[in-house]
Amino acid sequence: MKLTRRSFVGAAAPALVGAQSANDAIRAAFIGVGNRGSYLLRHSLAVPGVRVAAVCDVQEDRAQAAAEVAGEKGHAAKAYYDYRKLLDDARTFDAVIIATPVNTHQEIAVAALAAGKHVYLEKPMALTPDECLAIVTASKAAKGILQVGFQLRFDPRRRAAMDFIHGGGIGKVLFMQGFRHGGDLPRNTPWYFDRTVSGDNIVEQACHILDLMTWAVDQSPLRVFGSGGINLYRDIPPGRTTMDNYAVIYEYPGDVRLVFSHIYFDPPGFTGIKERVFGSIGAVDLARAEFHERANRGAVKLEVPNEGENSTYLSLKAFYENARAGRKPPLNDADSALRSTLVAMMGRKAIYERRIVTWDEIAR
Ligand SMILES: NC(=O)c1ccc[n+]([C@@H]2O[C@H](COP(=O)([O-])OP(=O)(O)OC[C@H]3O[C@@H](n4cnc5c(N)ncnc54)[C@H](O)[C@@H]3O)[C@@H](O)[C@H]2O)c1
């Protein structure tokens, strides 16, 4: 069968192969221990049955600091400064957690999968549709599982809201609305502002909300139009190529529309996120797990199992359980992550080319 992006999206997930017995500790290796990687490391140290065996970063001080953090919890983690050297020692670990800049995802993820390891790869999947396809192709042939860091799928409130939507609680989905306003990104991480490294903000940042909205309808969009640019932070920081504002309108099958906007120069009072799904009976706020019926004024709080638990912890816990026992495909599996990353890339293309872009163009 010819492997295309389209054939993966929506295809049945293959049976998963457990690396070891359900009782064995799972040995984890971390590649990229900056902002996100060190957060993933801390949460992994709290997951029962996980041993941190190795950490790697091209910045030696970061690798050493991460090894110390693991050491304080009694884990003997070896520090590496080149991921290829770490993979040369592949017998010493079972799972690889990758949290490096987006332009390195394809190379590192494909190598880790080829080494027979389970892979937790941070979102977005990669920089381009072709890179994403290369990762998913590698994962289909791999012994290990691939899970992607769309951890908001494990957020208890959003998950309860999604169950409510999928159970017909809001009736037929009609319209979705999202925004994400949070001030500009931290200037101490230069690659955030280079779209050849990050994939630009709609891919690197907004992929989370686009993932949730696509999950709500569980379909790929038909087409998108968008507009965006740099209106305030021109050359701030110097050389900036990532947008500081944009808006996109997606059309999904069934005449469902999604409107999403993203602004980086919002004043503090306007900071926040909005994730709303409107249906024929009422609308749900995903982040609050609140249902607003059209016929009645006021919000009804949905029942939220595990409310307050950290989504990243839950996502990692699912990954390690899955890697250990081959339980079931995770909520943020390779197929859903591919689709959501492509949804973001489709919006990026529409903005850059100032035209309507169809799903068929991106998922050739
Ligand atoms: N899921 C989330 O909510 C979330 C949040 C933040 C970041 N992220 C994602 O995590 C990834 C990392 O982002 P970050 O904010 O931690 O960036 P960062 O710059 O803080 O950390 C990246 C680290 O990777 C290291 N690195 C770069 N190339 C490497 C290589 N070839 N081998 C080993 N190490 C290498 C860097 O030295 C750095 O320490 C990105 O994909 C980002 O989109 C996800």
Side-chain angles (χ1 to χ4, degrees):
M1 185 183 80
K2 188 168 173 268
L3 297 177
T4 65
R5 281 188 283 279
R6 193 179 314 191
S7 66
F8 288 130
V9 173
L16 296 171
V17 184
Q20 36 183 221
S21 95
N23 296 324
D24 289 339
I26 193 112
R27 299 163 303 168
F30 289 75
I31 303 179
V33 280
N35 159 43
R36 186 66 184 169
S38 52
Y39 188 73
L40 296 172
L41 172 67
R42 282 202 303 280
H43 279 294
S44 294
L45 287 166
V47 177
V50 173
R51 302 296 303 165
V52 176
V55 292
C56 171
D57 201 296
V58 288
Q59 297 186 53
E60 299 191 4
D61 55 335
R62 290 190 171 182
Q64 283 159 13
E68 274 171 34
V69 168
E72 283 162 13
K73 299 281 181 191
H75 298 234
K78 182 171 176 188
Y80 294 83
Y81 315 117
D82 181 334
Y83 84 86
R84 291 163 300 189
K85 293 257 174 9
L86 176 138
L87 291 180
D88 284 346
D89 290 342
R91 276 178 298 115
T92 62
F93 51 86
D94 312 296
V96 178
I97 293 81
I98 302 168
T100 52
V102 184
N103 66 331
T104 66
H105 284 191
Q106 182 203 342
E107 179 186 322
I108 300 176
V110 168
L113 287 164
K117 302 295 125 182
H118 301 291
V119 172
Y120 187 100
L121 171 65
E122 260 309 337
K123 53 48 56 177
M125 190 173 253
L127 206 57
T128 66
D130 285 341
E131 288 185 5
C132 292
L133 183 61
I135 293 172
V136 179
T137 301
S139 83
K140 300 286 167 180
K143 185 171 143 228
I145 60 166
L146 171 64
Q147 189 169 324
V148 181
F150 286 105
Q151 80 280 351
L152 292 185
R153 287 183 172 228
F154 288 86
D155 173 57
R157 287 186 178 179
R158 292 174 172 96
R159 195 165 173 184
M162 212 57 82
D163 284 347
F164 188 69
I165 293 167
H166 291 158
I170 67 168
K172 182 188 179 313
V173 175
L174 305 173
F175 193 93
M176 301 183 285
Q177 182 189 53
F179 69 67
R180 184 182 168 125
H181 301 164
D184 207 17
L185 292 170
R187 300 273 158 74
N188 60 2
T189 306
W191 71 263
Y192 289 165
F193 303 93
D194 180 349
R195 69 192 202 185
T196 67
V197 180
S198 76
D200 212 335
N201 294 328
I202 186 169
V203 173
E204 201 270 318
Q205 297 266 296
C207 61
H208 276 305
I209 291 184
L210 297 173
D211 173 57
L212 293 172
M213 297 300 182
T214 303
W215 189 22
V217 287
D218 202 17
Q219 303 202 67
S220 307
L222 298 170
R223 59 188 72 81
V224 60
F225 179 69
S227 175
I230 310 176
N231 284 21
L232 183 67
Y233 297 127
R234 272 188 199 282
D235 220 28
I236 304 172
R240 178 185 190 124
T241 54
T242 54
M243 298 179 283
D244 66 11
N245 76 102
Y246 62 87
V248 274
I249 303 176
Y250 289 87
E251 286 178 5
Y252 285 80
D255 214 21
V256 179
R257 277 164 278 283
L258 162 63
V259 177
F260 177 77
S261 66
H262 204 159
I263 295 171
Y264 285 86
F265 41 71
D266 50 298
F270 285 4
T271 291
I273 55 166
K274 191 71 70 194
E275 301 163 1
R276 287 178 172 166
V277 180
F278 296 78
S280 51
I281 299 173
V284 161
D285 182 314
L286 303 182
R288 292 168 178 259
E290 283 178 358
F291 173 52
H292 294 247
E293 210 176 345
R294 280 202 308 115
N296 293 305
R297 186 174 287 275
V300 176
K301 178 77 193 298
L302 301 175
E303 194 178 317
V304 181
N306 307 320
E307 181 148 30
E309 283 199 48
N310 180 283
S311 59
T312 297
Y313 173 79
L314 293 173
S315 178
L316 286 165
K317 185 161 167 278
F319 170 67
Y320 293 121
E321 282 173 359
N322 207 351
R324 187 186 294 117
R327 244 176 4 113
K328 58 179 181 179
L331 288 172
N332 44 4
D333 65 351
D335 288 333
S336 69
L338 171 65
R339 177 156 75 184
S340 298
T341 304
L342 292 180
V343 169
M345 290 175 176
M346 183 183 174
R348 177 179 66 186
K349 191 173 176 67
I351 294 167
Y352 287 179
E353 298 181 12
R354 294 175 182 262
R355 66 180 179 88
I356 292 171
V357 171
T358 64
W359 177 253
D360 286 350
E361 291 180 58
I362 208 92
R364 299 182 300 276

